Amino acid sequence: MTQYAEGITAEIVKEHGLSDEEYAIILDRMGRAPNMNELGIFSVMWSEHCSYKSSRLHLGKFPTKGDKVIQGPGENAGVIDIGDGQACVFKMESHNHPSYIEPYQGAATGVGGILRDVFTMGARPIAALNALRFGAHDHPKTRQLVSGVVAGIGGYGNCVGVPTVGGETNFHEGYDGNILVNAMAVGLADADKIFYARGAEAGQPIVYVGSKTGRDGIHGATMASAEFDDESEEKRPTVQVGDPFVEKKLIEACLELMSTDAIAAIQDMGAAGLTSSAIEMADKGGIGIELNMDTVPQRETNMTTYEMMLSESQERMLVIMKPGREDVAMRIFKKWELDVAVIGQTTDTGRMVLNHHGEVVCDMPIAPLADDAPKYDRPHFAPEVRAQISAKDVAKPAHMGNVLLSLMTSPNMASKAWIWNQYDRHVMADTAASSEDPSDAAVVRVHGTDKALAITTDCTPRYCFADPFEGGKQTVAEAWRNLTATGADPIAITDCLNFGNPERPEIMGQFVGCVEGMAEACRALDFPVVSGNVSLYNETNGVAIPPTPAVGAVGLIPNINQRAGFGGMKAGQILLAVGDTRGVMGASLYLRVIEEREDGGSPPVDLAVEKVNGDFVRGQIRSGRVVACHDISDGGLACAAADMALASGIGIKLAHEGDLPMHGFLFGEDQARYLIAADKEDAVAMLQDAKADDIPLMVVGLAGGDAISVNGAHNLDLVKLREAWEGWLPDLMNKVGED
């Protein structure tokens, strides 16, 4: 007969997200029935959000090492070497469920949490990005969700003083019941002054710093590891409330403390709050933890141990100090007017012991809460391979200009200025290119140097749905192209893997396929994964989101004066396309928008071709021959040309010849391609270099005029295009309140 402690029933165990099998493991590991405090701790630590129990087996397939990797997965954020004794620290993470339930605070605390992951490592945050996925633009909740999420990102990031420099925003009915809010942060640190969660030893004091603990966010990690249903909006109490001004003080106080020699280990209180931060540091140090809950700073009265341990109140850190150095932390944090208290000490027991009101209210082993947590090999199967669709399989439209207008004013291609105008993009004064500037990746100067970081986020979920393996490859390859198109050397990626319920074999098959495709691309492109996050159970009433393995990527531009964007094109300059154009139309934007269908296989990705084409483009940028460069992706060559025309304020005369149908030439989504603008003499030199290196390069157009045309016809007036392109999102958002 199953054992239960007083006051605990099988139903209570189920409400904590634990299966019968998992509860049996707990009984075995504990040697007795857990009390309510211990059950709550197991619940959050064994949640999908904290334990990665369904994904750990497959995450090991990622390459995580490289010449420039200082710290790979396993810490708060990844760390790469950018030369001159400097390091870049970065990570991407999800805040999906909270943002659907409470858009403003969900998105705001997502920004706060990812910033803490970065400065916990000793880095000053210098840039924030986001990857947002909303439901259909005409869904009754979409406008409210967009408004709240964007306001939350801007409200937090602007106040904390970190520029929001880039990202992506997509709309698809697959996210109607479960939006995605993925946040990325990037910071700079001295390479020899990185701080870790590991390193603590027995007999060291544990210091709590930051805001007081309240009842907000309790069971947030568990909620983030469950499907939504019709009652999900009742979960508002599990959404945290953030304060960016406290976060700013916390950043400065932590960096000041890090300038001393007083820290043994440090961890932010993110998902599962005090529980996860304490257990992660204890596990990595191979030690135990003893806390006095009476000393935890509390902002509400009569808080229980259960509430304090599971609270996800924001702007909090846990620091293990070197013995006798507590006074250093006390002095610094009091100066910054932040709460600070010594709440316990490390031990050599390998156990977590909690005391409250003079009683031991929790005594449990650390190991089962960390590396010894359940790890599942979920059943999975690959989806049926869909047939490729070529341009010859698709009816030719009558007017290419009208098609281009429809594509450029579709929800995913229309200008997102309404969004990024709400973000402070230039605070800190080192942003060289951001969402408002015509560049495939944001560019942020490394302060006081001529170096710059190129940063991007990317994913094409319709490819991942069509073919998870090829879609996973393409996600990494396009992020690599975005960095390359600025002239950067791609270095490493972080990821945010958003999927539905892993207990369904078809969903687990999507996850495995995408991970394996991403891993293959990372190996081929020497583009290791250094950090990341997995977000599962993104579905409502059994309907899953499209598979969305978002990637955040970072590269280095050695000399900021040798970079490219896709604006600045002038009349008379030549347009050249790098890469082969075969007119691949499967899973394309053309099919979705023009034909209102989402079928066909994902475009095949030849990683060897990606590598040589990208290396050629990067070399040409650094030679000074390239005026503008743009990755060719959604909507194909014509949409890339339209982006360049809008960014430069000048028309483009495209030229099509050969057997490939015109709509395949214009709108096919073949991979490994770039569009380049150059002066005539430089174009000739590039053609010669390409021929010598066996790189496909062809002249596809000429800059000039006030329209985009093809073979002197199919004209699309640039003024008309701009008005519609810039007006789509403001027109949508101005309808708020009309429903």
Side-chain angles (χ1 to χ4, degrees):
M1 183 175 177
T2 304
Q3 296 177 315
Y4 298 103
E6 184 178 352
I8 296 177
T9 64
E11 183 62 27
I12 289 174
V13 171
K14 183 179 179 181
E15 288 173 357
H16 279 71
L18 296 164
S19 67
D20 292 342
E21 293 79 8
E22 287 171 341
Y23 186 71
I25 295 172
I26 291 172
L27 293 177
D28 178 70
R29 298 294 192 272
M30 292 280 290
R32 60 174 172 82
N35 63 33
M36 184 61 78
N37 296 321
E38 294 160 343
L39 183 69
I41 289 170
F42 269 111
S43 169
V44 293
M45 291 307 297
W46 282 12
S47 69
E48 222 34 273
H49 197 74
C50 291
S51 72
Y52 292 177
K53 57 190 175 186
S54 297
S55 58
R56 275 189 294 160
L57 180 70
H58 301 285
L59 296 179
K61 299 171 182 177
F62 284 138
T64 59
K65 300 183 184 301
D67 292 342
K68 298 185 183 300
V69 176
I70 295 174
Q71 174 64 52
E75 277 287 343
N76 287 287
V79 187
I80 57 174
D81 186 346
I82 59 170
D84 305 309
Q86 295 176 306
C88 173
V89 180
F90 63 101
K91 189 182 181 184
M92 194 175 192
E93 197 162 70
S94 63
H95 230 224
N96 303 334
H97 285 49
S99 298
Y100 184 82
I101 294 170
E102 178 48 65
Y104 185 96
Q105 291 296 347
T109 52
V111 174
I114 199 65
L115 290 175
R116 286 194 298 281
D117 280 336
V118 165
F119 73 74
T120 299
M121 304 288 291
R124 177 172 292 281
I126 63 164
L129 299 90
N130 51 75
L132 312 177
R133 318 277 170 182
F134 297 103
H137 71 279
D138 54 359
H139 187 276
K141 279 188 71 76
T142 294
R143 292 194 294 274
Q144 175 238 335
L145 290 168
V146 172
S147 180
V149 165
V150 172
I153 292 170
Y156 203 100
N158 296 353
C159 292
V160 84
V162 176
T164 300
V165 299
E168 55 179 343
T169 303
N170 293 155
F171 297 84
H172 190 281
E173 57 270 21
Y175 304 101
D176 280 348
N178 201 126
I179 65 172
L180 302 184
V181 176
N182 296 170
M184 179 179 177
V186 181
L188 287 175
D190 291 336
D192 60 351
K193 295 180 181 177
I194 306 298
F195 288 79
Y196 300 97
R198 63 180 185 267
E201 300 175 355
Q204 295 175 326
I206 301 171
V207 177
Y208 172 117
V209 298
S211 294
K212 288 182 171 67
T213 294
R215 291 188 171 96
D216 53 324
I218 293 173
H219 270 300
T222 307
M223 180 269 290
S225 305
E227 294 181 34
F228 277 161
D229 54 32
D230 293 332
E231 282 74 49
S232 290
E233 294 200 34
E234 296 178 5
K235 297 179 180 178
R236 271 194 170 84
T238 63
V239 178
Q240 314 93 316
V241 177
D243 185 334
F245 299 106
V246 173
E247 179 102 341
K248 174 61 175 173
K249 292 194 291 184
L250 190 61
I251 292 172
E252 300 304 330
C254 286
L255 293 178
E256 184 174 339
L257 181 61
M258 289 167 171
S259 69
T260 71
D261 187 32
I263 298 175
I266 185 168
Q267 177 82 24
D268 80 297
M269 295 192 214
L274 184 54
T275 291
S276 64
S277 57
I279 288 170
E280 286 176 21
M281 287 196 289
D283 177 63
K284 288 171 181 174
I287 55 174
I289 290 276
E290 185 168 350
L291 302 179
N292 180 359
M293 305 308 294
D294 299 330
T295 61
V296 173
Q298 301 162 52
R299 72 165 180 260
E300 300 182 49
T301 58
N302 300 318
M303 289 192 71
T304 65
T305 296
Y306 182 98
E307 290 171 330
M308 285 187 277
M309 291 303 294
L310 271 59
S311 167
E312 294 184 6
S313 295
Q314 295 292 286
E315 294 88 38
R316 301 180 301 159
M317 309 283 285
L318 200 62
V319 189
I320 298 179
M321 307 294 294
K322 294 178 180 177
R325 306 301 300 278
E326 303 97 309
D327 60 319
V328 177
M330 304 293 280
R331 173 178 53 81
I332 290 173
F333 282 93
K334 285 180 178 177
K335 183 188 81 171
W336 285 97
E337 300 178 333
L338 293 163
D339 285 286
V340 56
V342 178
I343 65 169
Q345 63 181 5
T346 58
T347 68
D348 61 1
T349 64
R351 301 182 71 82
M352 169 179 275
V353 178
L354 306 179
N355 299 285
H356 198 192
H357 300 323
E359 296 183 11
V360 175
V361 294
C362 171
D363 186 350
M364 57 199 304
I366 296 287
L369 299 168
D371 281 346
D372 195 28
K375 182 167 68 171
Y376 298 132
D377 184 1
R378 301 277 193 195
H380 62 274
F381 60 80
E384 183 178 343
V385 176
R386 301 192 331 194
Q388 291 292 329
I389 296 177
S390 71
K392 295 177 181 178
D393 302 321
V394 179
K396 179 181 176 181
H399 195 290
M400 302 299 173
N402 291 341
V403 171
L404 180 57
L405 179 63
S406 295
L407 292 176
M408 291 299 294
T409 56
S410 65
N412 292 340
M413 293 296 287
S415 169
K416 303 304 186 294
W418 184 92
I419 292 175
W420 50 251
N421 276 333
Q422 299 183 52
Y423 303 153
D424 188 336
R425 306 174 301 282
H426 296 287
V427 64
M428 302 180 79
D430 281 315
T431 305
S434 66
S435 298
E436 67 174 325
D437 301 308
S439 178
D440 279 324
V443 178
V444 179
R445 185 189 296 272
V446 177
H447 192 73
T449 75
D450 287 331
K451 297 186 298 187
L453 297 174
I455 316 163
T456 189
T457 63
D458 220 303
C459 183
T460 310
R462 63 180 188 275
Y463 293 169
C464 296
F465 185 79
D467 185 334
F469 183 75
E470 286 297 320
K473 285 165 60 178
Q474 193 277 340
T475 292
V476 172
E478 186 170 347
W480 193 86
R481 286 201 303 270
N482 287 342
L483 300 181
T484 295
T486 68
D489 294 308
I491 297 178
I493 70 169
T494 182
D495 59 51
C496 197
L497 307 176
N498 307 274
F499 292 81
N501 184 344
E503 298 169 50
R504 294 166 54 194
E506 68 274 21
I507 300 299
M508 198 64 207
Q510 292 175 349
F511 180 87
V512 173
C514 284
V515 166
E516 291 178 348
M518 293 170 69
E520 181 168 310
C522 288
R523 286 189 294 269
L525 298 173
D526 192 18
F527 208 25
V529 179
V530 297
S531 60
N533 169 245
V534 177
S535 176
L536 301 177
Y537 294 96
N538 288 290
E539 54 183 79
T540 299
N541 294 327
V543 180
I545 63 164
T548 312
V551 161
V554 176
L556 181 68
I557 300 175
N559 184 340
I560 199 169
N561 298 311
Q562 295 179 331
R563 68 181 179 93
F566 55 82
M569 181 176 58
K570 293 180 173 56
Q573 290 178 336
I574 308 297
L575 272 77
L576 306 103
V578 178
D580 287 321
T581 300
R582 298 185 175 92
V584 173
M585 304 294 281
S588 66
L589 191 68
Y590 180 95
L591 286 188
R592 173 168 170 77
V593 174
I594 305 303
E595 303 235 339
E596 298 182 341
R597 47 191 277 215
E598 295 191 42
D599 57 341
S602 174
V605 180
D606 187 322
L607 294 166
V609 172
E610 289 280 2
K611 184 73 167 62
V612 295
N613 287 4
D615 290 348
F616 172 82
V617 168
R618 192 182 310 106
Q620 294 298 323
I621 290 172
R622 293 183 182 174
S623 75
R625 292 173 177 162
V626 175
V627 172
C629 181
H630 197 5
D631 158 51
I632 299 176
S633 53
D634 283 353
L637 173 65
C639 286
D643 282 340
M644 292 177 72
L646 289 165
S648 305
I650 192 168
I652 291 176
K653 302 169 184 175
L654 293 171
H656 165 254
E657 59 183 25
D659 296 332
L660 179 64
M662 184 180 287
H663 58 295
F665 169 76
L666 294 174
F667 308 115
E669 295 184 5
D670 307 85
Q671 299 297 293
R673 295 187 299 158
Y674 303 79
L675 186 61
I676 289 174
D679 290 325
K680 182 177 179 180
E681 298 79 6
D682 291 326
V684 170
M686 275 192 273
L687 287 164
Q688 292 172 342
D689 286 353
K691 184 176 181 180
D693 294 340
D694 199 24
I695 302 292
L697 181 66
M698 64 180 296
V699 175
V700 294
L702 181 70
D706 54 10
I708 300 172
S709 64
V710 188
N711 292 350
H714 304 279
N715 288 11
L716 173 56
D717 181 78
L718 204 57
V719 172
K720 177 182 178 182
L721 171 60
R722 185 181 302 281
E723 181 179 346
W725 178 73
E726 292 180 346
W728 182 84
L729 189 52
D731 288 348
L732 174 71
M733 298 309 297
N734 286 339
K735 295 176 183 176
V736 172
E738 291 184 8
D739 292 333

